[in-house]
Amino acid sequence: MTILTETAEKIKNMEIRGAGRIARAAALALKEEATSIDTDDIGEFNRRMNDAYETLYNTRPTAVSLPNALRLVMRYRAATVEDARKAIISNADNFISNSQNAVKKIGQIGAKRIKDGDTILTHCNSSAAAAIVEAAFKQGKNINVIATETRPRQQGYVTVDIMQKIGVPTTLILDSAVRYFMKDVDIVVVGADAITVNGSLINKVGTSQIALAAHEARVNLIVAAETYKFSPKTLLGDLVEIEERDPSEVLSPEMHIKWPGLIVRNPAFDVTPHQYIDLIITELGAIPPEMAFWVITEKLGLELEDSATNIK
Ligand code: RUB
């Protein structure tokens, strides 16, 4: 197994998960592929890099960070294999370090929205959302976290693990207990798999119910999202595809066999309308969701051009 196929497999089976980590792993896999292709023929090199692009692209459909990262790394024009290799390696290194810096910057900006004494509710596991909590905690704010379990894959355990290591007091709750606890929550902080041109958020399924409960209780919800989480193709009218995963994640095959006619649905993400979002914290600053159009056209302009003329 090459690093490329191993990475693709790990993204598919969710050993590598979370939109930012998926993007960085994909960039690294393209870099490794570029390094290992053994040919002097630029045509063959380009074909094999395109195959690598396709393999990674087809792993999971929702997190737009994946195609955005792939496009950024694959943006090269070269007459020789040596130049192409160099360009891909440098694009991948830049993407990875920019992405890590973006998460840090989001932590610093977002921490200003967290007050001393706050209870923060988060859903699933987001490294960008966790960066905000960590930065606020390291500033000496006395805060605590409520983490949802996040059925069926329990990414809430990953959040709990991070919080326990940092030392933030944390309470684990069932996803269905969110409304019960909302009276204790000061702010909701979640990550993003994609943000559409109208500022709506695609994130782990259940986020939109949390947003409704927060809205009802007049609790602000903020989104932690690097700018490569914004979806250029939504500007062209496309919708973000919501991944539907295997029913066996929800109901074991042994149980399912008892009710052969039963339909089990397992969407991995849902859509939170922009009206329920107070702010999106990006590495460029804290912006209202209505500014998504600006991020896509001004900041991701070239990717849009690519998506209009070139690839997915
Ligand atoms: C993860 C998820 C996260 C976002 C943001 O879903 O919904 O909230 O990807 O994460 P899954 P990050 O576990 O199905 O990939 O801030 O780390 O990019």
Side-chain angles (χ1 to χ4, degrees):
M1 219 187 232
T2 63
I3 291 189
L4 175 85
T5 49
E6 197 182 320
T7 305
E9 201 42 51
K10 283 186 177 169
I11 294 173
K12 250 190 214 154
N13 68 25
M14 292 177 63
E15 256 177 85
I16 298 173
R17 40 143 311 281
R21 287 190 201 95
I22 289 172
R24 287 187 290 274
L28 189 63
L30 283 182
K31 173 180 162 175
E32 298 294 340
E33 188 67 6
T35 313
S36 69
I37 295 175
D38 188 15
T39 180
D40 289 334
D41 178 352
I42 184 72
E44 187 192 341
F45 180 88
N46 289 341
R47 260 192 313 281
R48 287 176 61 182
M49 284 309 300
N50 276 324
D51 289 349
Y53 174 103
E54 288 290 332
T55 303
L56 291 162
Y57 181 89
N58 289 320
T59 49
R60 288 188 79 188
T62 302
V64 71
S65 52
L66 174 63
N68 280 349
L70 295 175
R71 273 203 299 274
L72 282 167
V73 176
M74 290 289 279
R75 191 177 294 146
Y76 67 91
R77 235 182 268 284
T80 66
V81 169
E82 218 29 61
D83 287 351
R85 216 191 302 276
K86 264 193 213 142
I88 291 170
I89 291 171
S90 139
N91 288 348
D93 288 343
N94 285 341
F95 177 81
I96 293 167
S97 73
N98 288 344
S99 156
Q100 285 161 341
N101 289 337
V103 173
K104 269 189 216 138
K105 190 91 202 182
I106 287 168
Q108 288 156 9
I109 297 171
K112 295 185 191 162
R113 306 298 300 212
I114 310 290
K115 299 186 302 297
D116 192 37
D118 271 359
T119 295
I120 303 150
L121 184 130
T122 191
H123 184 48
C124 192
N125 175 250
S126 155
S127 18
I132 292 179
V133 176
E134 182 173 2
F137 186 70
K138 290 199 167 145
Q139 286 166 1
K141 290 175 186 164
N142 179 18
I143 54 176
N144 67 90
V145 162
I146 298 181
T148 55
E149 179 194 18
T150 317
R151 274 264 303 157
R153 298 294 297 253
Q154 280 90 14
Q155 289 94 329
Y157 295 177
V158 183
T159 298
V160 166
D161 193 52
I162 294 171
M163 294 304 146
Q164 294 294 292
K165 282 184 180 135
I166 304 169
V168 181
T170 303
T171 306
L172 178 71
I173 64 167
L174 290 176
D175 303 322
S176 44
V178 162
R179 188 161 177 262
Y180 179 81
F181 284 107
M182 194 52 83
K183 61 185 180 317
D184 304 327
V185 174
D186 297 292
I187 189 164
V188 177
V189 184
V190 292
D193 279 85
I195 293 170
T196 65
V197 67
N198 71 347
S200 294
L201 164 71
I202 288 89
N203 192 48
K204 180 54 57 193
V205 69
T207 303
S208 68
Q209 284 183 182
I210 295 173
L212 268 181
H215 185 73
E216 178 193 44
R218 302 176 73 85
V219 169
N220 279 336
L221 178 146
I222 64 172
V223 179
E226 306 89 305
T227 48
Y228 57 82
K229 307 278 183 69
F230 287 70
S231 170
K233 67 179 195 170
T234 58
L235 185 55
L236 303 173
D238 288 316
L239 294 175
V240 174
E241 183 184 340
I242 301 289
E243 175 182 14
E244 181 123 5
R245 295 189 60 86
D246 201 274
S248 63
E249 290 185 345
V250 175
L251 186 72
S252 70
E254 300 82 64
M255 290 291 283
H256 208 168
I257 231 157
K258 285 193 190 174
W259 308 302
L262 178 71
I263 297 165
V264 178
R265 299 282 308 270
N266 185 18
F269 302 96
D270 68 15
V271 184
T272 300
H274 60 92
Q275 295 90 330
Y276 297 102
I277 299 167
D278 179 39
L279 277 176
I280 303 177
I281 313 291
T282 74
E283 73 276 19
L284 300 179
I287 63 166
E290 288 74 16
M291 276 179 76
F293 174 82
W294 174 81
V295 173
I296 292 170
T297 53
E298 298 301 315
K299 171 76 185 158
L300 299 175
L302 287 171
E303 277 103 308
L304 174 70
E305 197 179 286
D306 285 354
S307 68
T309 55
N310 186 359
I311 28 186
K312 292 118 186 173

